[in-house]
Each structure stands twice: as structure tokens, then as C-alpha cells.
């Protein structure tokens, strides 16, 4: 899928941008502070309903405005039908989203309509950060290929929240605790099954993506489900009873899951150089996009912030080649036009020169 038209109003210093987008490569270059990353942020807002740069919408909405609006004309790969997708956000938290004039009730619906892959300076926390980043990576993939996963995840979150709230009470109702525990166990097990199936399927795509880059070894993904699998989860919760009451939280379960990402049998984050870690993150994201396309027939949309600062020239070219082979639309930012000219010389593309919040077609 791709965006053919993008309209941005009052997102940071981007007061009014209305532009056609190339279905393949879109290069946004300009000086620091010109609005390049805000351009990507606007597309992210359209697909996620939130910013990847700041949780506080007061700094995302332009100082002179009461709301931001982002809309786009969306064309899917499988059909020739065009769709109009748009969102409105205010500093006070108002959220409105519409697809072809019909209201969407949640950001989860946006995510399903516009699958985005973002790679920026913080994306490398996928390897170097805590388990949360890796669970989010994993759940993005499962969400987009398993239609029932969203409802399952919501039921799990609700049940976990209820159990934790009960644990925080000064006096525990043991019968009620047993009830919430009994509901939580099968939800954890179902989520674990979905995640394992996804990781197994992703591994084949990951081998192909890793092979497209020089400088990486044999990559493997090992899933830790969030408890000792030599014991049943019911036995784990029985053994955790006193501990959970003491800590006032659920110690084990799908919310404690993690992925061990290894290269040549060693934990990647501990043994790879900074440059190799960056390459591996790109490979993981591209593998997800490959799996998504294979499963759905549609392509993801990629947002790559400051690509020249993150990868050397050779690896930049390898990333762009892979994206082109996948048929993905992508938006790349950088300071200097010269960093891209040779890379996209033979690739259909469009260049935007950002100046003071204005996108000038170059």
C-alpha cells in the first residue's frame, strides 16, 4: 500500500503541507530544525494516532493552533480502490479518526489500516533496551497477521490489571484472586502460542534479510514465555502466591516475556559493534515487512529518520535495494541531498527540500 496524497496541518512547525507522494521512494532533506522529522512524525500520527517523539501533544500541536490534522489518500496493493484516512488530535487529548468518512473508534483500527515501520535513533533499543521493546516488536507482527490477537490481548490486559489491582489491596480476597488467576492462565498460554508461531515464521524471513547485509553472522531468535516452562503456569502462580502479595504485582506471565536475539550463538547486544547492531535492527524490521507482505499481499510503509547518520553508504544502498524489492513505499530523511543522489539515481523517486516547515519539491 502507499500514500498518494498527504495533507499536514499544524504539526509542530508544519503549518500547511499538501503534497503528492511517490509510491516508492520519498527523500526529505534539509537543515536541522527545518521540519524533516516532523514530516515523518505526521505520517506516524496518521498510522498510530500518537507521536513517536513525545507523549505530550501540547508540544506536537503548533503553538498557534488548537488542533492538528493529518490526512492522506491511501491506495492498497490488492485493489485499485482509493481510501481517505484522517486523524485529528488536540493538546487536551481529543482523538478523532475517520476512514472514508466513517469514524474509527480506536488507534488500533488506525494501525490495521496503515501498517508502519519506523526506524530512528531510538529503534536500536530493540537490542540494547529492556524486554518491553522486544515484546512490542513481536506483538506488532502478531497483531498484523492474526485477526483475533487484538481481542485476546485486550482481555489479557484487562485480566492482568484486575489481578494486580486486587494484589495492591491491603486485604486480599483469596477467592477473587483465584478467579482472576484462573482467567489469566489460558490467556497467557494463548498469547504465548501466537507469539511462538509468529517467531517461527519470521525466522525464515530473517535469514533472507540478514543475508542481504554484509557483516552479520547467523542470527537466531529464542522466546522466553515469561515463566519456567518446566512447570505449568498454574503451579508457577501457586508458588508465587506469597511473592505476588508481597510485591503487589503478578510476577510471571506473558507480560514478562522476552526474545533472546543471538548472533553466532551469542547475545547480540553484548557482542556486536554499534554498527552491527544497527544493521541487525534493520534486518529485523525488513524481515517483519517481508513476512507481512507474504501473509497479506500488502506492503508496509517505512519511515527512516536520518538514514545517512545511522548507516554507511554501502549499507544504505542495501537497505534501499531491499525496500525496493519488497515494493514498499518509504520516506527517508537526511541533511544533505548529496547523500541520496547516487543511491536513488536509478530508482523512481521524489525529493522534498524542507525549509522552515515548508516542503519544496526538488
Amino acid at each position: 500500500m502507499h500514500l498518494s496524497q498527504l495533507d499536514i496541518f499544524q504539526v509542530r512547525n508544519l503549518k500547511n503541507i499538501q503534497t503528492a507522494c511517490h509510491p516508492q521512494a520519498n527523500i526529505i532533506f534539509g537543515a536541522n530544525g527545518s521540519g524533516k522529522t516532523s514530516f515523518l512524525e505526521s505520517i506516524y500520527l496518521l498510522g498510530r494516532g500518537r507521536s513517536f517523539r513525545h507523549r505530550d501533544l501540547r508540544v506536537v500541536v503548533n503553538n498557534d493552533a488548537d488542533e492538528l490534522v493529518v490526512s492522506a489518500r491511501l491506495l492498497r496493493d490488492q485493489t485499485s480502490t482509493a481510501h481517505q484516512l484522517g486523524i485529528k488530535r488536540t493538546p487536551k487529548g481529543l482523538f478523532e479518526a475517520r476512514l472514508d468518512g466513517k469514524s474509527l473508534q480506536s488507534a488500533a483500527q488506525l494501525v490495521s489500516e496503515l501498517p508502519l515501520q519506523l526506524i530512528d535513533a531510538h529503534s536500536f533499543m530493540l537490542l540494547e533496551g529492556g524486554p518491553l521493546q522486544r515484546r512490542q516488536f513481536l506483538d506488532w507482527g502478531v497483531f498484523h497477521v492474526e485477526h483475533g490477537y487484538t481481542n485476546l490481548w485486550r482481555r489479557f490486559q484487562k485480566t492482568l490489571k484486575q489481578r494486580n489491582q486486587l494484589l495492591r489491596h491491603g486485604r486480599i480476597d483469596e477467592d477473587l484472586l483465584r478467579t482472576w488467576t484462573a482467567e489469566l492462565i489460558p490467556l497467557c498460554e494463548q498469547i504465548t502460542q501466537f507469539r511462538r508461531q509468529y517467531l517461527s515464521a519470521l525466522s525464515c524471513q530473517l535469514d533472507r534479510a540478514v543475508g542481504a547485509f554484509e557483516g552479520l553472522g547467523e542470527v537466531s531468535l529464542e522466546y522466553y514465555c515469561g515463566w519456567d516452562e518446566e512447570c505449568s503456569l498454574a503451579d508457577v502462580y501457586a508458588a508465587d502466591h506469597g511473592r505476588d502479595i508481597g510485591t503487589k504485582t503478578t510476577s510471571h506471565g506473558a507480560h514478562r516475556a522476552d526474545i533472546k536475539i543471538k548472533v553466532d550463538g551469542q547475545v547480540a547486544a553484548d557482542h556486536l559493534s554499534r554498527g552491527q547492531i544497527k544493521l541487525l535492527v534493520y534486518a529485523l524490521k525488513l524481515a517483519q515487512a517481508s513476512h507481512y507482505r507474504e501473509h497479506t499481499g500488502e506492503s508496509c510503509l517505512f519511515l527512516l529518520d536520518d538514514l545517512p547518520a545511522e548507516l554507511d553508504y554501502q549499507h544504505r544502498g542495501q537497505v534501499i535495494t531491499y525496500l525496493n524489492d519488497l515494493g514498499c513505499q518509504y520516506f527517508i530523511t537526511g541533511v544533505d541531498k548529496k547523500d541520496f543522489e547516487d543511491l536513488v539515481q536509478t530508482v523512481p523517486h521524489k525529493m522534498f527540500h524542507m525549509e522552515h516547515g515548508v516542503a519544496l519539491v526538488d
Side-chain angles (χ1 to χ4, degrees):
M1 66 183 63
H2 70 273
L3 307 180
S4 62
Q5 176 71 29
L6 178 65
D7 300 329
I8 304 169
F9 301 97
Q10 307 299 347
V11 178
R12 297 189 188 266
N13 66 334
L14 309 184
K15 293 188 175 182
N16 185 352
I17 290 179
Q18 297 174 281
T19 188
C21 304
H22 195 279
Q24 194 167 339
N26 296 268
I27 312 299
I28 304 108
F29 67 94
N32 291 330
S34 61
K36 303 185 304 295
T37 301
S38 298
F39 194 104
L40 299 191
E41 184 179 25
S42 300
I43 300 173
Y44 193 89
L45 280 159
L46 181 64
R48 298 288 181 90
R50 57 184 174 85
S51 166
F52 65 81
R53 299 168 68 187
H54 210 290
R55 295 180 63 181
D56 189 350
L57 284 171
R58 288 176 295 182
V59 303
V60 181
V61 179
N62 185 278
N63 292 332
D64 298 327
D66 296 324
E67 63 186 24
L68 65 80
V69 177
V70 185
S71 64
R73 191 168 182 260
L74 175 66
L75 296 175
R76 303 194 188 282
D77 297 335
Q78 298 295 301
T79 67
S80 57
T81 306
H83 300 276
Q84 192 69 27
L85 182 66
I87 63 133
K88 179 190 295 184
R89 296 299 313 255
T90 71
K92 294 183 179 180
L94 173 69
F95 169 83
E96 290 184 12
R98 291 183 178 273
L99 177 66
D100 296 333
K102 297 181 180 179
S103 294
L104 302 179
Q105 301 305 312
S106 69
Q109 291 176 286
L110 278 178
V111 174
S112 64
E113 296 296 337
L114 185 58
L116 296 173
Q117 287 281 9
L118 167 72
I119 303 181
D120 67 351
H122 301 290
S123 298
F124 309 107
M125 295 300 290
L126 177 59
L127 267 68
E128 298 173 329
L132 175 62
Q133 284 80 13
R134 291 181 286 279
R135 286 196 300 271
Q136 290 174 339
F137 167 82
L138 181 55
D139 287 329
W140 184 98
V142 183
F143 170 83
H144 279 291
V145 299
E146 296 291 348
H147 297 300
Y149 192 69
T150 302
N151 289 334
L152 173 64
W153 179 252
R154 286 173 176 164
R155 286 164 51 207
F156 165 73
Q157 290 288 348
K158 180 179 179 181
T159 305
L160 178 64
K161 181 180 179 180
Q162 294 287 352
R163 189 178 192 272
N164 284 338
Q165 285 180 343
L166 181 61
L167 288 169
R168 286 193 288 270
H169 287 174
R171 188 172 181 178
I172 301 294
D173 183 327
E174 292 288 349
D175 289 338
L176 190 54
L177 181 60
R178 280 192 291 271
T179 297
W180 287 122
T181 302
E183 288 195 25
L184 189 61
I185 289 171
L187 295 174
C188 284
E189 293 171 340
Q190 291 174 61
I191 285 173
T192 298
Q193 183 179 4
F194 275 126
R195 286 172 169 174
R196 285 194 186 282
Q197 290 172 347
Y198 178 76
L199 271 188
S200 177
L202 184 66
S203 294
C204 295
Q205 299 292 350
L206 181 57
D207 289 342
R208 296 192 190 103
V210 168
F213 300 110
E214 296 181 9
L216 291 175
E218 183 179 347
V219 179
S220 62
L221 306 175
E222 297 178 8
Y223 182 65
Y224 166 65
C225 66
W227 68 90
D228 182 357
E229 288 190 276
E230 292 185 1
C231 304
S232 71
L233 188 52
D235 288 343
V236 170
Y237 281 139
D240 280 348
H241 183 268
R243 175 183 178 180
D244 286 358
I245 292 175
T247 60
K248 302 183 186 302
T249 191
T250 302
S251 303
H252 292 95
H255 59 296
R256 302 293 189 189
D258 198 2
I259 310 170
K260 291 182 180 179
I261 303 173
K262 295 184 176 182
V263 175
D264 296 331
Q266 298 181 315
V267 177
D270 295 339
H271 297 279
L272 295 186
S273 68
R274 182 67 175 169
Q276 288 174 317
I277 285 175
K278 291 178 179 181
L279 275 183
L280 183 50
V281 169
Y282 274 90
L284 287 162
K285 296 277 192 173
L286 290 167
Q288 274 201 325
S290 299
H291 181 264
Y292 177 78
R293 183 169 186 93
E294 184 178 80
H295 192 87
T296 67
E298 293 285 346
S299 57
C300 296
L301 190 151
F302 271 78
L303 308 176
L304 308 176
D305 193 27
D306 205 2
L307 181 67
E310 301 300 344
L311 294 180
D312 60 35
Y313 182 84
Q314 178 185 358
H315 290 120
R316 276 178 250 157
Q318 291 170 349
V319 168
I320 289 175
T321 297
Y322 208 100
L323 288 169
N324 292 332
D325 290 344
L326 281 177
C328 291
Q329 183 183 40
Y330 51 95
F331 295 79
I332 302 178
T333 66
V335 174
D336 196 337
K337 178 182 178 180
K338 295 178 180 179
D339 289 330
F340 302 103
E341 287 179 326
D342 290 342
L343 290 174
V344 298
Q345 190 173 15
T346 60
V347 176
H349 66 277
K350 188 171 185 177
M351 284 199 172
F352 301 90
H353 184 196
M354 295 298 299
E355 290 186 356
H356 307 295
V358 178
L360 305 172
V361 178
D362 190 72

